[in-house]
PDB file of all heavy atoms in Angstrom:
ATOM      1  N   ASP A   1       5.741   4.781  12.449  1.00 83.00           N
ATOM      2  CA  ASP A   1       7.109   4.874  11.879  1.00 83.00           C
ATOM      3  C   ASP A   1       7.237   5.995  10.871  1.00 83.00           C
ATOM      4  O   ASP A   1       8.135   5.964  10.009  1.00 83.00           O
ATOM      5  CB  ASP A   1       7.525   3.546  11.217  1.00 83.00           C
ATOM      6  CG  ASP A   1       7.848   2.483  12.247  1.00 83.00           C
ATOM      7  OD1 ASP A   1       8.060   2.854  13.425  1.00 83.00           O
ATOM      8  OD2 ASP A   1       7.895   1.299  11.882  1.00 83.00           O
ATOM      9  N   GLU A   2       6.308   6.968  10.943  1.00 84.00           N
ATOM     10  CA  GLU A   2       6.354   8.105  10.034  1.00 84.00           C
ATOM     11  C   GLU A   2       6.393   7.665   8.573  1.00 84.00           C
ATOM     12  O   GLU A   2       7.204   8.099   7.773  1.00 84.00           O
ATOM     13  CB  GLU A   2       7.553   9.008  10.347  1.00 84.00           C
ATOM     14  CG  GLU A   2       7.492   9.628  11.732  1.00 84.00           C
ATOM     15  CD  GLU A   2       8.575  10.654  11.956  1.00 84.00           C
ATOM     16  OE1 GLU A   2       9.276  10.993  10.972  1.00 84.00           O
ATOM     17  OE2 GLU A   2       8.723  11.133  13.088  1.00 84.00           O
ATOM     18  N   LEU A   3       5.490   6.752   8.236  1.00 87.00           N
ATOM     19  CA  LEU A   3       5.370   6.293   6.845  1.00 87.00           C
ATOM     20  C   LEU A   3       4.930   7.446   5.958  1.00 87.00           C
ATOM     21  O   LEU A   3       4.086   8.264   6.334  1.00 87.00           O
ATOM     22  CB  LEU A   3       4.343   5.165   6.751  1.00 87.00           C
ATOM     23  CG  LEU A   3       4.783   3.781   7.226  1.00 87.00           C
ATOM     24  CD1 LEU A   3       3.559   2.873   7.338  1.00 87.00           C
ATOM     25  CD2 LEU A   3       5.798   3.192   6.258  1.00 87.00           C
ATOM     26  N   ASP A   4       5.508   7.475   4.762  1.00 86.00           N
ATOM     27  CA  ASP A   4       5.080   8.440   3.755  1.00 86.00           C
ATOM     28  C   ASP A   4       3.953   7.780   2.963  1.00 86.00           C
ATOM     29  O   ASP A   4       4.216   6.890   2.136  1.00 86.00           O
ATOM     30  CB  ASP A   4       6.251   8.827   2.854  1.00 86.00           C
ATOM     31  CG  ASP A   4       5.880   9.944   1.879  1.00 86.00           C
ATOM     32  OD1 ASP A   4       4.685  10.308   1.824  1.00 86.00           O
ATOM     33  OD2 ASP A   4       6.781  10.438   1.174  1.00 86.00           O
ATOM     34  N   ILE A   5       2.719   8.207   3.227  1.00 86.00           N
ATOM     35  CA  ILE A   5       1.560   7.543   2.641  1.00 86.00           C
ATOM     36  C   ILE A   5       1.550   7.662   1.116  1.00 86.00           C
ATOM     37  O   ILE A   5       1.063   6.775   0.412  1.00 86.00           O
ATOM     38  CB  ILE A   5       0.262   8.138   3.220  1.00 86.00           C
ATOM     39  CG1 ILE A   5       0.315   8.134   4.752  1.00 86.00           C
ATOM     40  CG2 ILE A   5      -0.950   7.357   2.739  1.00 86.00           C
ATOM     41  CD1 ILE A   5       0.608   6.787   5.333  1.00 86.00           C
ATOM     42  N   SER A   6       2.122   8.719   0.596  1.00 86.00           N
ATOM     43  CA  SER A   6       2.095   8.922  -0.860  1.00 86.00           C
ATOM     44  C   SER A   6       2.890   7.871  -1.609  1.00 86.00           C
ATOM     45  O   SER A   6       2.723   7.708  -2.815  1.00 86.00           O
ATOM     46  CB  SER A   6       2.627  10.315  -1.198  1.00 86.00           C
ATOM     47  OG  SER A   6       3.981  10.458  -0.805  1.00 86.00           O
ATOM     48  N   SER A   7       3.779   7.150  -0.905  1.00 88.00           N
ATOM     49  CA  SER A   7       4.595   6.143  -1.584  1.00 88.00           C
ATOM     50  C   SER A   7       3.899   4.795  -1.676  1.00 88.00           C
ATOM     51  O   SER A   7       4.435   3.853  -2.264  1.00 88.00           O
ATOM     52  CB  SER A   7       5.936   5.978  -0.842  1.00 88.00           C
ATOM     53  OG  SER A   7       5.718   5.506   0.483  1.00 88.00           O
ATOM     54  N   PHE A   8       2.691   4.668  -1.081  1.00 89.00           N
ATOM     55  CA  PHE A   8       1.980   3.399  -1.162  1.00 89.00           C
ATOM     56  C   PHE A   8       1.462   3.193  -2.589  1.00 89.00           C
ATOM     57  O   PHE A   8       0.976   4.142  -3.210  1.00 89.00           O
ATOM     58  CB  PHE A   8       0.811   3.379  -0.166  1.00 89.00           C
ATOM     59  CG  PHE A   8       1.174   2.812   1.165  1.00 89.00           C
ATOM     60  CD1 PHE A   8       2.260   3.318   1.878  1.00 89.00           C
ATOM     61  CD2 PHE A   8       0.442   1.771   1.718  1.00 89.00           C
ATOM     62  CE1 PHE A   8       2.596   2.800   3.109  1.00 89.00           C
ATOM     63  CE2 PHE A   8       0.785   1.245   2.950  1.00 89.00           C
ATOM     64  CZ  PHE A   8       1.868   1.751   3.640  1.00 89.00           C
ATOM     65  N   PRO A   9       1.501   1.972  -3.093  1.00 91.00           N
ATOM     66  CA  PRO A   9       1.010   1.700  -4.449  1.00 91.00           C
ATOM     67  C   PRO A   9      -0.482   1.991  -4.577  1.00 91.00           C
ATOM     68  O   PRO A   9      -1.302   1.486  -3.796  1.00 91.00           O
ATOM     69  CB  PRO A   9       1.301   0.218  -4.658  1.00 91.00           C
ATOM     70  CG  PRO A   9       2.344  -0.120  -3.642  1.00 91.00           C
ATOM     71  CD  PRO A   9       2.089   0.769  -2.475  1.00 91.00           C
ATOM     72  N   THR A  10      -0.873   2.790  -5.531  1.00 90.00           N
ATOM     73  CA  THR A  10      -2.284   3.129  -5.750  1.00 90.00           C
ATOM     74  C   THR A  10      -3.085   1.904  -6.149  1.00 90.00           C
ATOM     75  O   THR A  10      -4.235   1.708  -5.729  1.00 90.00           O
ATOM     76  CB  THR A  10      -2.389   4.204  -6.839  1.00 90.00           C
ATOM     77  OG1 THR A  10      -1.605   5.341  -6.450  1.00 90.00           O
ATOM     78  CG2 THR A  10      -3.833   4.618  -7.054  1.00 90.00           C
ATOM     79  N   GLU A  11      -2.460   1.059  -6.965  1.00 92.00           N
ATOM     80  CA  GLU A  11      -3.161  -0.146  -7.447  1.00 92.00           C
ATOM     81  C   GLU A  11      -3.538  -1.051  -6.289  1.00 92.00           C
ATOM     82  O   GLU A  11      -4.628  -1.638  -6.251  1.00 92.00           O
ATOM     83  CB  GLU A  11      -2.242  -0.868  -8.444  1.00 92.00           C
ATOM     84  CG  GLU A  11      -2.819  -2.161  -9.028  1.00 92.00           C
ATOM     85  CD  GLU A  11      -2.364  -3.391  -8.246  1.00 92.00           C
ATOM     86  OE1 GLU A  11      -1.315  -3.298  -7.557  1.00 92.00           O
ATOM     87  OE2 GLU A  11      -3.052  -4.419  -8.323  1.00 92.00           O
ATOM     88  N   LEU A  12      -2.679  -1.176  -5.252  1.00 91.00           N
ATOM     89  CA  LEU A  12      -2.971  -2.011  -4.086  1.00 91.00           C
ATOM     90  C   LEU A  12      -4.122  -1.395  -3.275  1.00 91.00           C
ATOM     91  O   LEU A  12      -5.024  -2.119  -2.813  1.00 91.00           O
ATOM     92  CB  LEU A  12      -1.712  -2.156  -3.233  1.00 91.00           C
ATOM     93  CG  LEU A  12      -1.894  -2.909  -1.917  1.00 91.00           C
ATOM     94  CD1 LEU A  12      -2.303  -4.373  -2.187  1.00 91.00           C
ATOM     95  CD2 LEU A  12      -0.597  -2.880  -1.093  1.00 91.00           C
ATOM     96  N   ARG A  13      -4.109  -0.098  -3.105  1.00 90.00           N
ATOM     97  CA  ARG A  13      -5.160   0.549  -2.314  1.00 90.00           C
ATOM     98  C   ARG A  13      -6.525   0.389  -2.981  1.00 90.00           C
ATOM     99  O   ARG A  13      -7.546   0.165  -2.301  1.00 90.00           O
ATOM    100  CB  ARG A  13      -4.833   2.026  -2.133  1.00 90.00           C
ATOM    101  CG  ARG A  13      -3.535   2.257  -1.363  1.00 90.00           C
ATOM    102  CD  ARG A  13      -3.330   3.713  -1.010  1.00 90.00           C
ATOM    103  NE  ARG A  13      -4.343   4.168  -0.058  1.00 90.00           N
ATOM    104  CZ  ARG A  13      -4.365   5.386   0.472  1.00 90.00           C
ATOM    105  NH1 ARG A  13      -3.437   6.267   0.108  1.00 90.00           N
ATOM    106  NH2 ARG A  13      -5.311   5.730   1.323  1.00 90.00           N
ATOM    107  N   GLN A  14      -6.565   0.432  -4.294  1.00 90.00           N
ATOM    108  CA  GLN A  14      -7.823   0.244  -5.001  1.00 90.00           C
ATOM    109  C   GLN A  14      -8.337  -1.170  -4.811  1.00 90.00           C
ATOM    110  O   GLN A  14      -9.543  -1.407  -4.649  1.00 90.00           O
ATOM    111  CB  GLN A  14      -7.630   0.555  -6.479  1.00 90.00           C
ATOM    112  CG  GLN A  14      -7.376   2.035  -6.772  1.00 90.00           C
ATOM    113  CD  GLN A  14      -7.083   2.302  -8.226  1.00 90.00           C
ATOM    114  OE1 GLN A  14      -6.878   1.376  -9.012  1.00 90.00           O
ATOM    115  NE2 GLN A  14      -7.058   3.594  -8.600  1.00 90.00           N
ATOM    116  N   ARG A  15      -7.396  -2.160  -4.849  1.00 91.00           N
ATOM    117  CA  ARG A  15      -7.825  -3.555  -4.666  1.00 91.00           C
ATOM    118  C   ARG A  15      -8.341  -3.792  -3.251  1.00 91.00           C
ATOM    119  O   ARG A  15      -9.298  -4.552  -3.034  1.00 91.00           O
ATOM    120  CB  ARG A  15      -6.655  -4.498  -4.974  1.00 91.00           C
ATOM    121  CG  ARG A  15      -6.388  -4.648  -6.460  1.00 91.00           C
ATOM    122  CD  ARG A  15      -5.454  -5.819  -6.753  1.00 91.00           C
ATOM    123  NE  ARG A  15      -4.070  -5.512  -6.401  1.00 91.00           N
ATOM    124  CZ  ARG A  15      -3.332  -6.232  -5.565  1.00 91.00           C
ATOM    125  NH1 ARG A  15      -3.865  -7.286  -4.983  1.00 91.00           N
ATOM    126  NH2 ARG A  15      -2.087  -5.907  -5.316  1.00 91.00           N
ATOM    127  N   VAL A  16      -7.695  -3.158  -2.256  1.00 90.00           N
ATOM    128  CA  VAL A  16      -8.122  -3.338  -0.862  1.00 90.00           C
ATOM    129  C   VAL A  16      -9.524  -2.757  -0.660  1.00 90.00           C
ATOM    130  O   VAL A  16     -10.379  -3.360   0.020  1.00 90.00           O
ATOM    131  CB  VAL A  16      -7.100  -2.706   0.095  1.00 90.00           C
ATOM    132  CG1 VAL A  16      -7.652  -2.644   1.519  1.00 90.00           C
ATOM    133  CG2 VAL A  16      -5.797  -3.499   0.065  1.00 90.00           C
ATOM    134  N   ARG A  17      -9.791  -1.607  -1.200  1.00 90.00           N
ATOM    135  CA  ARG A  17     -11.101  -0.984  -1.040  1.00 90.00           C
ATOM    136  C   ARG A  17     -12.205  -1.796  -1.703  1.00 90.00           C
ATOM    137  O   ARG A  17     -13.349  -1.820  -1.220  1.00 90.00           O
ATOM    138  CB  ARG A  17     -11.090   0.409  -1.650  1.00 90.00           C
ATOM    139  CG  ARG A  17     -10.218   1.398  -0.892  1.00 90.00           C
ATOM    140  CD  ARG A  17     -10.144   2.731  -1.628  1.00 90.00           C
ATOM    141  NE  ARG A  17      -9.257   3.683  -0.947  1.00 90.00           N
ATOM    142  CZ  ARG A  17      -8.987   4.898  -1.399  1.00 90.00           C
ATOM    143  NH1 ARG A  17      -9.554   5.310  -2.541  1.00 90.00           N
ATOM    144  NH2 ARG A  17      -8.166   5.694  -0.733  1.00 90.00           N
ATOM    145  N   ALA A  18     -11.884  -2.483  -2.770  1.00 89.00           N
ATOM    146  CA  ALA A  18     -12.917  -3.205  -3.523  1.00 89.00           C
ATOM    147  C   ALA A  18     -13.029  -4.668  -3.133  1.00 89.00           C
ATOM    148  O   ALA A  18     -13.864  -5.381  -3.690  1.00 89.00           O
ATOM    149  CB  ALA A  18     -12.626  -3.091  -5.019  1.00 89.00           C
ATOM    150  N   SER A  19     -12.189  -5.165  -2.205  1.00 88.00           N
ATOM    151  CA  SER A  19     -12.163  -6.592  -1.904  1.00 88.00           C
ATOM    152  C   SER A  19     -12.383  -6.824  -0.421  1.00 88.00           C
ATOM    153  O   SER A  19     -12.159  -5.937   0.419  1.00 88.00           O
ATOM    154  CB  SER A  19     -10.815  -7.181  -2.341  1.00 88.00           C
ATOM    155  OG  SER A  19     -10.719  -8.533  -1.945  1.00 88.00           O
ATOM    156  N   ASP A  20     -12.850  -8.043  -0.092  1.00 87.00           N
ATOM    157  CA  ASP A  20     -13.045  -8.443   1.299  1.00 87.00           C
ATOM    158  C   ASP A  20     -11.971  -9.422   1.755  1.00 87.00           C
ATOM    159  O   ASP A  20     -12.101 -10.028   2.834  1.00 87.00           O
ATOM    160  CB  ASP A  20     -14.429  -9.089   1.476  1.00 87.00           C
ATOM    161  CG  ASP A  20     -15.556  -8.064   1.352  1.00 87.00           C
ATOM    162  OD1 ASP A  20     -15.306  -6.895   1.707  1.00 87.00           O
ATOM    163  OD2 ASP A  20     -16.642  -8.437   0.879  1.00 87.00           O
ATOM    164  N   ILE A  21     -10.958  -9.638   0.957  1.00 91.00           N
ATOM    165  CA  ILE A  21      -9.884 -10.560   1.322  1.00 91.00           C
ATOM    166  C   ILE A  21      -8.591  -9.779   1.495  1.00 91.00           C
ATOM    167  O   ILE A  21      -8.508  -8.594   1.173  1.00 91.00           O
ATOM    168  CB  ILE A  21      -9.699 -11.656   0.262  1.00 91.00           C
ATOM    169  CG1 ILE A  21      -9.306 -11.030  -1.084  1.00 91.00           C
ATOM    170  CG2 ILE A  21     -10.979 -12.498   0.123  1.00 91.00           C
ATOM    171  CD1 ILE A  21      -8.980 -12.063  -2.159  1.00 91.00           C
ATOM    172  N   VAL A  22      -7.574 -10.478   1.976  1.00 91.00           N
ATOM    173  CA  VAL A  22      -6.267  -9.849   2.198  1.00 91.00           C
ATOM    174  C   VAL A  22      -5.555  -9.701   0.845  1.00 91.00           C
ATOM    175  O   VAL A  22      -5.409 -10.675   0.100  1.00 91.00           O
ATOM    176  CB  VAL A  22      -5.402 -10.676   3.163  1.00 91.00           C
ATOM    177  CG1 VAL A  22      -4.018 -10.050   3.302  1.00 91.00           C
ATOM    178  CG2 VAL A  22      -6.087 -10.780   4.520  1.00 91.00           C
ATOM    179  N   GLU A  23      -5.119  -8.502   0.543  1.00 92.00           N
ATOM    180  CA  GLU A  23      -4.336  -8.224  -0.655  1.00 92.00           C
ATOM    181  C   GLU A  23      -2.908  -7.864  -0.238  1.00 92.00           C
ATOM    182  O   GLU A  23      -2.694  -7.291   0.838  1.00 92.00           O
ATOM    183  CB  GLU A  23      -4.944  -7.057  -1.444  1.00 92.00           C
ATOM    184  CG  GLU A  23      -6.383  -7.266  -1.875  1.00 92.00           C
ATOM    185  CD  GLU A  23      -6.490  -8.285  -3.000  1.00 92.00           C
ATOM    186  OE1 GLU A  23      -5.450  -8.604  -3.614  1.00 92.00           O
ATOM    187  OE2 GLU A  23      -7.625  -8.751  -3.267  1.00 92.00           O
ATOM    188  N   TYR A  24      -1.928  -8.200  -1.108  1.00 92.00           N
ATOM    189  CA  TYR A  24      -0.531  -7.904  -0.732  1.00 92.00           C
ATOM    190  C   TYR A  24       0.250  -7.490  -1.985  1.00 92.00           C
ATOM    191  O   TYR A  24      -0.156  -7.745  -3.116  1.00 92.00           O
ATOM    192  CB  TYR A  24       0.125  -9.114  -0.068  1.00 92.00           C
ATOM    193  CG  TYR A  24       0.375 -10.269  -1.004  1.00 92.00           C
ATOM    194  CD1 TYR A  24       1.596 -10.395  -1.683  1.00 92.00           C
ATOM    195  CD2 TYR A  24      -0.607 -11.233  -1.226  1.00 92.00           C
ATOM    196  CE1 TYR A  24       1.817 -11.446  -2.550  1.00 92.00           C
ATOM    197  CE2 TYR A  24      -0.386 -12.282  -2.076  1.00 92.00           C
ATOM    198  CZ  TYR A  24       0.831 -12.396  -2.737  1.00 92.00           C
ATOM    199  OH  TYR A  24       1.047 -13.436  -3.607  1.00 92.00           O
ATOM    200  N   LYS A  25       1.397  -6.867  -1.717  1.00 92.00           N
ATOM    201  CA  LYS A  25       2.261  -6.437  -2.811  1.00 92.00           C
ATOM    202  C   LYS A  25       3.638  -6.073  -2.244  1.00 92.00           C
ATOM    203  O   LYS A  25       3.741  -5.483  -1.171  1.00 92.00           O
ATOM    204  CB  LYS A  25       1.666  -5.222  -3.530  1.00 92.00           C
ATOM    205  CG  LYS A  25       2.456  -4.793  -4.782  1.00 92.00           C
ATOM    206  CD  LYS A  25       1.758  -3.643  -5.472  1.00 92.00           C
ATOM    207  CE  LYS A  25       2.512  -3.208  -6.712  1.00 92.00           C
ATOM    208  NZ  LYS A  25       2.571  -4.273  -7.736  1.00 92.00           N
ATOM    209  N   TYR A  26       4.705  -6.450  -3.014  1.00 91.00           N
ATOM    210  CA  TYR A  26       6.058  -5.994  -2.680  1.00 91.00           C
ATOM    211  C   TYR A  26       6.249  -4.601  -3.263  1.00 91.00           C
ATOM    212  O   TYR A  26       5.899  -4.334  -4.420  1.00 91.00           O
ATOM    213  CB  TYR A  26       7.126  -6.925  -3.267  1.00 91.00           C
ATOM    214  CG  TYR A  26       7.202  -8.265  -2.576  1.00 91.00           C
ATOM    215  CD1 TYR A  26       6.592  -9.395  -3.123  1.00 91.00           C
ATOM    216  CD2 TYR A  26       7.881  -8.392  -1.371  1.00 91.00           C
ATOM    217  CE1 TYR A  26       6.673 -10.618  -2.499  1.00 91.00           C
ATOM    218  CE2 TYR A  26       7.958  -9.625  -0.728  1.00 91.00           C
ATOM    219  CZ  TYR A  26       7.346 -10.734  -1.302  1.00 91.00           C
ATOM    220  OH  TYR A  26       7.421 -11.948  -0.665  1.00 91.00           O
ATOM    221  N   ALA A  27       6.801  -3.687  -2.483  1.00 91.00           N
ATOM    222  CA  ALA A  27       6.957  -2.309  -2.947  1.00 91.00           C
ATOM    223  C   ALA A  27       8.096  -1.652  -2.177  1.00 91.00           C
ATOM    224  O   ALA A  27       8.615  -2.185  -1.178  1.00 91.00           O
ATOM    225  CB  ALA A  27       5.667  -1.526  -2.765  1.00 91.00           C
ATOM    226  N   THR A  28       8.473  -0.484  -2.652  1.00 90.00           N
ATOM    227  CA  THR A  28       9.466   0.359  -1.974  1.00 90.00           C
ATOM    228  C   THR A  28       8.732   1.564  -1.397  1.00 90.00           C
ATOM    229  O   THR A  28       8.092   2.316  -2.147  1.00 90.00           O
ATOM    230  CB  THR A  28      10.553   0.822  -2.951  1.00 90.00           C
ATOM    231  OG1 THR A  28      11.203  -0.305  -3.509  1.00 90.00           O
ATOM    232  CG2 THR A  28      11.577   1.693  -2.234  1.00 90.00           C
ATOM    233  N   VAL A  29       8.772   1.712  -0.066  1.00 90.00           N
ATOM    234  CA  VAL A  29       8.070   2.811   0.583  1.00 90.00           C
ATOM    235  C   VAL A  29       9.075   3.790   1.169  1.00 90.00           C
ATOM    236  O   VAL A  29      10.244   3.460   1.396  1.00 90.00           O
ATOM    237  CB  VAL A  29       7.143   2.287   1.691  1.00 90.00           C
ATOM    238  CG1 VAL A  29       6.071   1.390   1.099  1.00 90.00           C
ATOM    239  CG2 VAL A  29       7.938   1.557   2.758  1.00 90.00           C
ATOM    240  N   LYS A  30       8.594   4.983   1.410  1.00 89.00           N
ATOM    241  CA  LYS A  30       9.435   6.033   1.958  1.00 89.00           C
ATOM    242  C   LYS A  30       9.072   6.303   3.402  1.00 89.00           C
ATOM    243  O   LYS A  30       7.917   6.174   3.802  1.00 89.00           O
ATOM    244  CB  LYS A  30       9.270   7.312   1.131  1.00 89.00           C
ATOM    245  CG  LYS A  30       9.712   7.170  -0.307  1.00 89.00           C
ATOM    246  CD  LYS A  30       9.527   8.479  -1.068  1.00 89.00           C
ATOM    247  CE  LYS A  30       9.968   8.328  -2.523  1.00 89.00           C
ATOM    248  NZ  LYS A  30       9.786   9.597  -3.280  1.00 89.00           N
ATOM    249  N   TYR A  31      10.112   6.679   4.173  1.00 86.00           N
ATOM    250  CA  TYR A  31       9.933   7.060   5.575  1.00 86.00           C
ATOM    251  C   TYR A  31      10.441   8.483   5.751  1.00 86.00           C
ATOM    252  O   TYR A  31      11.376   8.923   5.055  1.00 86.00           O
ATOM    253  CB  TYR A  31      10.695   6.120   6.508  1.00 86.00           C
ATOM    254  CG  TYR A  31      10.172   4.707   6.516  1.00 86.00           C
ATOM    255  CD1 TYR A  31      10.642   3.768   5.608  1.00 86.00           C
ATOM    256  CD2 TYR A  31       9.206   4.316   7.447  1.00 86.00           C
ATOM    257  CE1 TYR A  31      10.166   2.468   5.619  1.00 86.00           C
ATOM    258  CE2 TYR A  31       8.720   3.019   7.462  1.00 86.00           C
ATOM    259  CZ  TYR A  31       9.205   2.099   6.544  1.00 86.00           C
ATOM    260  OH  TYR A  31       8.728   0.815   6.550  1.00 86.00           O
ATOM    261  N   LYS A  32       9.855   9.171   6.682  1.00 84.00           N
ATOM    262  CA  LYS A  32      10.260  10.558   6.902  1.00 84.00           C
ATOM    263  C   LYS A  32      11.507  10.653   7.774  1.00 84.00           C
ATOM    264  O   LYS A  32      12.174  11.674   7.786  1.00 84.00           O
ATOM    265  CB  LYS A  32       9.104  11.327   7.555  1.00 84.00           C
ATOM    266  CG  LYS A  32       7.857  11.397   6.671  1.00 84.00           C
ATOM    267  CD  LYS A  32       6.717  12.120   7.387  1.00 84.00           C
ATOM    268  CE  LYS A  32       5.480  12.158   6.504  1.00 84.00           C
ATOM    269  NZ  LYS A  32       4.331  12.829   7.190  1.00 84.00           N
TER     270      LYS A  32
END
């Protein structure tokens, strides 16, 4: 869907990389 990766929350990406469980967050993302 041509997601703009830069709009993803940095804090969520850090938690996903450091965890073995499902992490989630409500956010506003951009599309091209």
Side-chain angles (χ1 to χ4, degrees):
D1 286 343
E2 297 188 8
L3 283 168
D4 186 353
I5 308 306
S6 63
S7 63
F8 268 54
T10 303
E11 179 265 338
L12 175 64
R13 298 189 66 177
Q14 291 176 350
R15 284 193 285 124
V16 169
R17 292 175 183 178
S19 175
D20 289 330
I21 62 175
V22 176
E23 302 288 345
Y24 69 92
K25 185 177 180 63
Y26 289 100
T28 301
V29 297
K30 297 180 180 180
Y31 294 88
K32 297 178 181 178

